[in-house]
Amino acid sequence: SALALNGKIKEVGEKVFATNGKKADFASALRSCEEAGGTLATPMNEEENKAIMDIVKQYKQYAYLGIKECETLGQFTSITGMPLSYTKWHQHEPNGKGKEKCVEMYMDGSWNDKKCNAYRLTICEF
């Protein structure tokens, strides 16, 4: 896809992570991933988390992950509906108490709950 050609690509097992290098709000980032035939990057283990972190560090931009807060406050799930058996929350996170329904990755690979209207690097998984 065009997305893969002009961005960086990381392969982990069956998954490919790619970025177009663009920043967008959560809804737009998700839409561009879906239009390219994938979804937002959702790390399911340490290896996948590190691959996403490598892209975040290279672009020096926090990135949205494919994770959102459920109806139950403080409970997060992958946007594909898969339960999160793996998490890497930053210390004292998540702390948005329902006001921060999206999740971003910091430069060190840890996660923070964040409002969904911020502009973050788009990283997709295929």
Side-chain angles (χ1 to χ4, degrees):
S1 70
L3 186 87
L5 292 176
N6 56 16
K8 283 289 169 219
I9 303 171
K10 295 262 169 201
E11 286 188 55
V12 179
E14 301 291 298
K15 274 191 192 178
V16 176
F17 297 106
T19 181
N20 56 9
K22 296 195 172 94
K23 291 168 75 172
D25 63 33
F26 179 85
S28 304
L30 176 57
R31 193 177 321 116
S32 62
C33 288
E34 288 177 341
E35 282 170 359
T39 190
L40 272 172
T42 311
M44 289 296 177
N45 55 50
E46 187 65 34
E47 195 185 6
E48 293 182 4
N49 203 78
K50 186 185 177 306
I52 299 165
M53 180 184 79
D54 287 345
I55 298 175
V56 163
K57 280 165 84 165
Q58 182 175 350
Y59 282 80
K60 298 183 174 61
Q61 303 274 0
Y62 296 170
Y64 276 127
L65 298 176
I67 298 168
K68 285 198 88 166
E69 191 166 21
C70 311
E71 298 304 307
T72 314
L73 292 188
Q75 291 284 326
F76 286 78
T77 183
S78 82
I79 51 175
T80 57
M82 294 279 290
L84 293 181
S85 50
Y86 169 86
T87 59
K88 194 161 184 130
W89 294 108
H90 197 74
Q91 197 177 0
H92 308 308
E93 303 295 343
N95 66 2
K97 300 181 178 62
K99 291 188 169 49
E100 300 177 331
K101 295 199 167 292
C102 290
V103 177
E104 65 183 352
M105 180 185 284
Y106 287 155
M107 227 68 81
D108 66 357
S110 65
W111 307 355
N112 170 50
D113 55 337
K114 186 75 185 170
K115 286 195 165 71
C116 301
N117 60 357
Y119 276 65
R120 293 291 176 262
L121 183 65
T122 301
I123 304 177
C124 307
E125 71 175 41
F126 301 93

